[in-house]
Structure formats: C-alpha cells, structure tokens
Amino acid sequence: MRLLLKLSGEQLAGDNARGFNIERAKWIADQVKKAQATDAEIVITVGAGNFVRGEYFAGENIRQVTADNMGMLAIVINALALGDVFNSVGIPAAVLSNIEANQVVDQYTYRRALSHLAKGRVVIIGGGMGRPYVTSDSAAVSMALELDCDLVAKATKIDGVFDKDPAKFPDAIKLDKISLADAVAGREIKVMDKAALGLAADFNIPITVFELLKEGNIARVAAGENVGTRIS
C-alpha cells in the first residue's frame, strides 16, 4: 500500500488557534510509524490554515495570486517543521517542495520522491501544487496520482462524511461509503473541494475520510480496514 495522507494546517496547530504544535506533530509521527509497520509507504501533504489561509487575505489590497503564494509558502513552513519532528523521533523523513526554494528545501521531482520512498522514508511534500488557484486538497489528489498511490487518506476532525453538517444537525447520518460521482454532485458533501473530488473521479483513485485523533486510525487505513468513509 502506498498511502497519501492529507493533513490540515489546523491539525498541526493542535489545541492552539494558530502556529505549529510540536507535541501534536510527535503524536502524528507515532501514528505514521504504526502505519509503516503494515508495510505501507507514506506520502504526506499538508495545508497551511494554522499560518496563512489565502482566501482570508485575498481582496482589494492583496491580489488572489499573492494570497495563494503566501499560503503555499506557509505550507512549506509546515512541511519543514513536520519533517524535522519526524526525524527527531527516529522516523526517517524527506521534505520536498513544489516551490523552488533550494536554500531551505529540496525541489520536488517524481524521481526524487520515489527514491526516498524506496529507502523507507516518509515523503512530506510542501508548497501545494506550486501554482495559485489550486487548493491543498487538489494538490493532494494530484500528488497521489503522480506517485501511483493506492489511496488518498484525508484526516479530519470527525469520523467520516455525513449527509449534512453534524455540528449543526444532531440527526446527521454518517455515510460508510459513497461514490465519487455522488460526492462531486452532493451539495452537502464539503469534506473536500469539488475540484479535488472531480480529479479523483476522473482517474478513479479512492479517498478515505477519517478522524485523525483516534488512536491507530492511520494504521487501520493503511491496512485497508473500514475506517471513516470510503469515497470510491
């Protein structure tokens, strides 16, 4: 199993509103180590909502292109920090960036990523897609396709996809399975943006949406167990 794990910036902030929480990162590293024990190869992409969310900055005075570039730089910051935490606790990790910043991080290439995976390293990819107007979710699906991953695992605060927002509606029903076509068409399905879901549907790569903070969940996903919601 080659698994692409998508983490949000907010998850890397831990219980804080902003910033990077080292204890949360160490906990994630331990969970990834357990997933590796299933013989899974792990690729990680991250968001940057803990530092910069481009949509919040884009407006009259800051262009959308600039705001998106700020967000991609923040993703590189998260990737660098996460990579150091992984290596510090004995989990070999390589950080690559889709933004060229050779002074601080290696440039992403397909061959370089595969070489690191072959050596048993976790590959952490920063910089989103390296282009504006593309979300970190779409970047995750694109990276999964490029690196021949078997599954995209999107870590969230709740245990999967529901027919409506469970935070607003107590009667919301969890969906164990849903088709990619229905996920793209369903207005209430907002766990990933529609462009990311559409790309997954075009190339038929499955997505598992699951709760990050449940002990052992990443390993269960990597082992092919029924966790969260399967979109396929």
Side-chain angles (χ1 to χ4, degrees):
M1 163 76 81
R2 181 174 294 166
L3 177 72
L4 187 136
L5 174 64
K6 168 60 169 58
L7 301 171
S8 71
E10 290 88 345
Q11 289 163 340
L12 297 177
D15 295 328
N16 304 320
R18 311 285 289 173
F20 186 93
N21 187 297
I22 291 176
E23 291 305 313
R24 171 61 60 78
K26 287 167 65 176
W27 186 87
I28 292 171
D30 181 65
Q31 299 301 303
V32 169
K33 184 176 183 179
K34 293 174 181 176
Q36 285 183 308
T38 69
D39 292 328
E41 295 178 329
I42 309 292
V43 179
I44 298 176
T45 64
V46 294
N50 55 326
F51 287 122
V52 174
R53 190 179 290 278
E55 63 192 61
Y56 292 162
F57 284 87
E60 182 178 352
N61 301 111
I62 298 179
R63 298 171 61 212
Q64 180 72 51
V65 170
T66 302
D68 285 351
N69 287 338
M70 291 165 61
M72 288 185 288
L73 289 170
I75 294 174
V76 173
I77 291 173
N78 275 333
L80 286 168
L82 193 63
D84 265 20
V85 170
F86 272 56
N87 283 304
S88 74
V89 298
I91 302 173
V95 179
L96 304 174
S97 172
N98 276 315
I99 295 175
E100 186 173 352
N102 293 327
Q103 188 172 348
V104 296
V105 63
D106 288 337
Q107 184 76 21
Y108 168 84
T109 69
Y110 170 78
R111 294 179 301 278
R112 184 173 285 162
L114 289 184
S115 176
H116 285 305
L117 288 171
K119 294 178 175 69
R121 296 169 185 149
V122 174
V123 173
I124 303 172
I125 302 174
M129 279 300 296
R131 307 300 305 172
Y133 298 98
V134 180
T135 67
S136 59
D137 279 347
S138 290
V141 174
S142 179
M143 288 289 94
L145 290 167
E146 184 171 341
L147 292 172
D148 297 316
C149 294
D150 300 294
L151 177 69
V152 175
K154 164 109 186 218
T156 65
K157 297 178 181 178
I158 56 176
D159 188 28
V161 177
F162 290 73
D163 64 342
K164 49 191 170 184
D165 189 347
K168 297 179 180 178
F169 301 96
D171 61 340
I173 299 172
K174 178 190 167 187
L175 307 173
D176 292 329
K177 296 180 181 178
I178 184 173
S179 71
L180 282 161
D182 286 344
V184 171
R187 291 185 177 182
E188 296 299 324
I189 307 300
K190 299 177 180 179
V191 70
M192 294 185 85
D193 67 82
K194 298 302 184 182
L197 290 169
L199 181 60
D202 284 344
F203 292 93
N204 200 30
I205 184 170
I207 300 167
T208 291
V209 179
F210 72 102
E211 183 181 358
L212 172 66
L213 295 182
K214 187 173 181 180
E215 173 69 33
N217 257 3
I218 297 176
R220 293 186 188 97
V221 172
E225 297 182 22
N226 294 324
V227 178
T229 299
R230 178 86 164 196
I231 308 175
S232 63

